[in-house]
Amino acid sequence: MSGKLQRTWGGRFSEAPSKIAQEFNASWSFDQRLALVDIEGSLAHAAMLARQGILSPEEAEQIRQGLLRVRQEILEDRFPWREELEDVHMNIEARLTELVGPVGGKLHTARSRNDQVATDLRLWLRGELTALLEELRTLRRVLVEEAERYLEPPLVLPGYTHLQRAMPVLLSHWFLAYYEMLTRDTGRIQDALRRLNESPLGAAALAGTGFPIDRHYTAQALGFDRPMRNSLDAVASRDFVLEALAALTIGQVHLSRLAEEIVLYSTFEFGFVTLPDAFSTGSSIMPQKKNADHAELIRAKVGRVLGSFVALATLTKGLPLAYNKDLQEDKEPLFDAVDTYRASVRLLAAMLPGLRWNPEAMARAAESGFSLATELADYLALRGVPFREAHHVVGRVVRHCAESGKELRDLSLAELQGFHPLFGEEALSLTRLETAIHRRKSYGGTAPEAVRQALSQAKIEVEA
């Protein structure tokens, strides 16, 4: 067995692991992402050991200087990763010992790789989620800017239920609907951040340590709110990863819904929006094609992010306490989900301002298909007709129009009064888009004044 492996954990063994077992066990190829936070945790741990008299000041300073040199090598992409050292922690410790000598081996005093990796993962995820919140803020700001851009004069879009034309809405209202979804996604990530910000460091393998360590000191030094209260829980729990993956999954679902509507609205059949060339692709055989491939990929990537959540939930569902090697498999799904979500957020933030909306096609669609029928039913209800009766009356009006090839706006007052005598002259204006859209002014509604109110609040929130 090599000397390095001997010093790390090989004393119990009489032969080296087989090459195939070594390769199967290794994680250094992907957990390199934890290298910088691993050094951050080690610096705090070494400082605490010196503070507690477990290391001499001279030993702690040697270790500190060595760790800083290792960090510089990693930042400059010249760190000598070694395949025979199974993970990022052993690689860094081995390199530290090469640089500073046997004192490097003292760094692991009162620490296990179990609490070390749990600490690293929390530090890494804290940084990533914090960065994702800024990426989300950028996308939310874009949605607000686009909503404001199309409010004066207001662009009208047909609203749908069951993918059938339902009622007209403002395009600004549509943008703000996704703003609300992404605002809740922001809250979920913030919740996950609050709960993960506890320090496992000092829990050691599973039972704590007999050394007189100060876990509160290392927790504070690393920016954690507190040390975790139970050593078994500290090394065995990955619910903080599951919670983050759940938040990212819901977030990716929302991005997918937005992407799906862009795909639909950009088709010839809808014709509401034209994609920027920079965010479209063509066909290898059909020269006329302009495909929304990037939006389609955002839609597809929900499977990856949800798959990461399912993978980790399945991995942890039957694990006994405390640490098990199964937990090595938590990192790749997490890394992939974070990367996928970030890329999707960035792409939408770049693409949305380049969309070219077609007001004429949108208005035609919003006014046709009897989407203003509810206005007529409400009109009768306001004049004392029970709404269920009004609904039935207007249903017969719609059937008449469908059978005669007319739109509601084509009806005369006499025709309307043929269905109910309470229809008056003002009912005719309700079959016009410009009149109907202003009636939906309840809080949260799509009337311009209601949307303007929502937009003002959203602008405050994204700048807070």
Side-chain angles (χ1 to χ4, degrees):
M1 184 175 291
S2 73
K4 295 300 181 189
L5 286 176
Q6 183 79 28
R7 282 198 295 272
T8 304
W9 54 261
R12 168 67 175 79
F13 298 86
S14 60
E15 60 178 325
S18 73
K19 182 173 176 55
I20 190 171
Q22 189 172 304
E23 290 172 351
F24 191 75
N25 194 50
S27 62
W28 68 270
S29 62
F30 56 84
D31 66 16
Q32 292 180 42
R33 286 199 186 202
L34 302 178
L36 294 178
V37 292
D38 189 76
I39 290 172
E40 183 182 352
S42 291
L43 286 167
H45 184 67
M48 180 276 296
L49 292 177
R51 190 171 181 267
Q52 297 299 108
I54 299 169
L55 291 180
S56 70
E58 295 76 20
E59 289 172 328
E61 180 60 19
Q62 282 182 273
I63 290 172
R64 189 183 76 86
Q65 291 294 335
L67 287 171
L68 293 178
R69 288 176 62 185
V70 172
R71 182 169 67 184
Q72 195 61 33
E73 290 180 351
I74 292 168
L75 289 171
E76 295 174 358
D77 199 25
R78 54 186 180 87
F79 182 84
W81 295 100
R82 295 171 52 183
E83 295 184 18
E84 73 273 15
L85 299 176
E86 64 191 61
D87 57 31
V88 61
H89 322 292
M90 291 168 63
N91 264 275
I92 288 175
E93 183 179 327
R95 180 59 178 155
L96 173 67
T97 303
E98 288 176 353
L99 292 172
V100 302
V103 70
K106 293 190 174 184
L107 174 61
H108 209 55
T109 305
R111 185 175 71 170
S112 163
R113 278 187 297 169
N114 295 354
D115 62 332
Q116 186 177 357
V117 69
T119 302
D120 289 359
L121 201 54
R122 286 175 185 263
L123 288 172
W124 182 86
L125 186 53
R126 185 178 70 188
E128 293 297 308
L129 293 184
T130 301
L132 279 179
L133 286 174
E134 284 307 306
E135 303 270 10
L136 260 180
R137 182 195 293 269
T138 297
L139 179 52
R140 290 166 62 220
R141 187 180 289 119
V142 167
L143 290 167
V144 168
E145 290 168 353
E146 293 303 292
E148 186 172 34
R149 178 180 175 186
Y150 294 110
L151 186 55
E152 301 292 348
L155 265 62
V156 181
L157 182 76
Y160 295 86
T161 62
H162 309 280
L163 208 53
Q164 305 288 329
R165 289 178 196 167
M167 294 180 182
V169 297
L170 295 188
L171 178 59
S172 298
H173 196 53
W174 180 85
F175 274 114
L176 290 179
Y178 284 104
Y179 168 82
E180 294 294 336
M181 294 182 210
L182 268 62
T183 298
R184 293 193 296 274
D185 295 335
T186 296
R188 277 181 278 270
I189 292 175
Q190 289 169 335
D191 288 345
L193 265 172
R194 280 192 290 271
R195 268 183 286 278
L196 73 79
N197 202 36
E198 296 182 329
S199 174
L201 194 57
L206 76 162
T209 177
F211 288 95
I213 62 173
D214 186 347
R215 293 189 62 210
H216 291 275
Y217 174 86
T218 50
Q220 183 178 21
L222 293 171
F224 288 114
D225 294 331
R226 64 192 68 83
M228 295 184 72
R229 296 185 301 184
N230 184 285
S231 59
L232 284 169
D233 178 51
V235 300
S237 293
R238 291 298 184 271
D239 57 322
F240 70 97
V241 180
L242 274 171
E243 184 172 12
L245 288 173
L248 296 184
T249 298
I250 296 170
Q252 190 72 36
V253 166
H254 287 153
L255 301 184
S256 175
R257 295 185 73 181
L258 174 54
E260 164 65 1
E261 294 210 271
I262 291 171
V263 171
L264 283 176
Y265 293 167
S266 66
T267 62
F268 183 81
E269 286 73 14
F270 280 78
F272 297 164
V273 71
T274 301
L275 297 172
D277 288 351
F279 294 94
S280 306
T281 63
S283 165
S284 63
I285 189 171
M286 295 170 285
Q288 82 280 11
K289 293 296 293 295
K290 188 174 185 180
N291 299 327
D293 280 11
H294 302 89
E296 290 173 359
L297 280 172
I298 290 173
R299 186 177 62 189
K301 288 180 184 294
V302 172
R304 290 180 68 146
V305 182
L306 174 60
S308 295
F309 175 83
V310 172
L312 188 60
T314 305
L315 185 155
T316 55
K317 69 152 184 84
L319 287 185
L321 294 177
Y323 181 83
N324 296 271
K325 190 67 171 183
D326 309 54
L327 293 176
Q328 180 170 291
E329 295 296 309
D330 61 358
K331 296 166 194 63
E332 288 179 288
L334 175 62
F335 296 162
D336 186 73
V338 168
D339 290 347
T340 300
Y341 183 67
R342 173 181 285 116
S344 300
V345 168
R346 286 179 175 175
L347 187 122
L348 281 169
M351 180 173 66
L352 289 177
L355 298 177
R356 297 198 308 276
W357 296 91
N358 185 340
E360 293 78 17
M362 291 158 57
R364 282 195 305 271
E367 198 169 20
S368 63
F370 315 115
S371 64
L372 300 179
T374 306
E375 304 301 325
L376 295 177
D378 287 350
Y379 174 88
L380 291 177
L382 286 170
R383 277 146 188 79
V385 179
F387 183 79
R388 286 303 170 202
E389 180 183 343
H391 185 286
H392 184 72
V393 168
V394 177
R396 288 192 289 114
V397 173
V398 169
R399 186 172 72 236
H400 166 74
C401 288
E403 291 172 350
S404 58
K406 290 183 176 182
E407 290 287 348
L408 293 175
R409 63 177 174 269
D410 300 326
L411 296 175
S412 67
L413 179 58
E415 285 178 294
L416 280 177
Q417 288 178 337
F419 290 96
H420 202 287
L422 283 181
F423 277 121
E425 186 76 31
E426 63 272 21
L428 293 176
S429 67
L430 300 181
T431 64
R432 301 292 184 268
L433 195 59
E434 58 273 15
T435 303
I437 199 73
H438 286 270
R439 289 170 51 81
R440 303 288 167 179
K441 54 189 177 183
S442 58
Y443 180 80
T446 194
E449 54 264 49
V451 174
R452 197 172 292 112
Q453 180 183 4
L455 182 59
S456 297
Q457 182 60 38
K459 290 170 71 174
I460 294 170
E461 291 170 357
V462 293
E463 299 302 334

